Amino acid sequence: MRVVAIDGPAASGKSSTARAVARAIGFHHLDSGALYRALTRVALDAGLDLEQLDVPALLARAERRGLGLRPAGEDFVPLLDGAPAEALIRTPEVTAAVSAVSAVPEVRDWANARMRALAEAGVPVVVDGRDIGSVVFPEAGLKIFLHAKPLVRAMRRLAQRGGPEASDEEIHAEADRLKARDKADSSRPVAPLVSPDDAVEIDTSRMAFQEQVDGIAALARAVYRLPEA
Ligand code: DC
């Protein structure tokens, strides 16, 4: 099994980093959040009560709708009803509901089993999430934990949205929101955000994106004896 696990707090750049690293080393990128988002889409479509989630009903519907991940180039595309579901799972409605769904242990077990099955089938993957190195792939050959200071993450997130430059007030307000999320993510009872003891911790606050991608790709090449780029 060849797995690079990338964990970190909200807006630490995990997904974009994981995607770029996967391209650099010829692995597939697996975005674990997409599975939780697709499950949330199914729960919302079925009108299930998210506070008292009927997990067997949710998982039965997910299976019936063929919820899965299909390799596409270096990525995996989330599928529902046989069609790519990327647009359906990135809506504000799903974003608002996904925390409740991803907090349920049996839902996590199902998602984790899906991810492990892909890696065990021999697909080399770069997986990003919150608990990839700690829970999903504790045996991963390379675990990365990305940090960046809240103000830096806030500035990056606001810059991503495009449009007019963010004011100091907006940046500080976003940094406060991120700090509150860090606290909630680190203290939640199920699969809290932790940096595994054997993870390589990278503070990207002063790094350029390409620098962090190149650094992680170099570590992965060394661990998995991959050819140089
Ligand atoms: O990274 P994202 O925003 O697409 O993640 C969606 C949600 O799923 C987010 O609320 C955190 C949760 N999540 C999780 O609990 N564990 C993971 N491994 C990945 C995502």
Side-chain angles (χ1 to χ4, degrees):
M1 194 155 71
R2 287 185 294 171
V3 176
V4 176
I6 301 186
D7 291 299
S12 59
K14 301 179 295 285
S15 272
S16 41
T17 303
R19 182 171 298 117
V21 169
R23 276 166 174 54
I25 62 174
F27 282 25
H28 288 274
H29 170 222
L30 180 51
D31 167 8
S32 61
L35 266 183
Y36 291 107
R37 286 174 174 275
L39 284 162
T40 304
R41 180 77 266 159
V42 172
L44 290 170
D45 290 349
L48 298 179
D49 178 355
L50 298 184
E51 299 310 316
Q52 304 278 322
L53 194 59
D54 180 345
V55 177
L58 169 62
L59 299 182
R61 278 172 198 270
E63 300 278 357
R64 209 175 314 141
R65 294 185 64 182
L67 193 164
L69 296 163
R70 184 165 63 200
E74 290 99 344
D75 291 316
F76 284 97
V77 177
L79 293 180
L80 273 179
D81 309 316
E86 196 61 44
L88 294 175
I89 68 167
R90 308 263 169 217
T91 65
E93 193 194 7
V94 170
T95 301
V98 63
S99 300
V101 174
S102 66
V104 180
E106 294 82 3
V107 171
R108 302 196 72 85
D109 291 344
W110 188 90
N112 292 347
R114 285 296 176 103
M115 289 188 259
R116 288 194 195 109
L118 285 172
E120 280 161 10
V123 184
V125 279
V126 181
V127 193
D128 75 278
R130 308 286 192 288
D131 60 341
I132 304 305
S134 55
V135 175
V136 189
F137 294 110
E139 70 283 53
L142 178 60
K143 300 178 187 179
I144 303 292
F145 196 86
L146 290 183
H147 293 283
K149 299 205 185 312
L151 271 181
V152 174
R153 284 187 275 145
M155 281 192 277
R156 288 177 182 163
R157 172 160 278 190
L158 292 172
Q160 247 175 16
R161 110 195 137 171
E165 208 170 299
S167 66
D168 283 359
E169 288 76 33
E170 282 176 298
I171 294 170
H172 279 94
E174 180 64 21
D176 286 343
R177 273 194 292 277
L178 288 171
K179 279 191 255 182
R181 253 188 93 177
D182 289 353
K183 208 167 161 204
D185 285 349
S186 311
S187 57
R188 69 180 181 184
V190 181
L193 175 70
V194 286
S195 175
D197 287 343
D198 51 351
V200 178
E201 299 202 7
I202 303 178
D203 185 334
T204 70
S205 301
R206 289 161 168 274
M207 290 172 96
F209 179 73
Q210 197 55 45
E211 196 185 344
Q212 78 203 36
V213 170
D214 291 346
I216 298 169
L219 289 171
R221 287 192 194 100
V223 167
Y224 290 115
R225 298 173 192 282
L226 303 171
E228 287 305 310

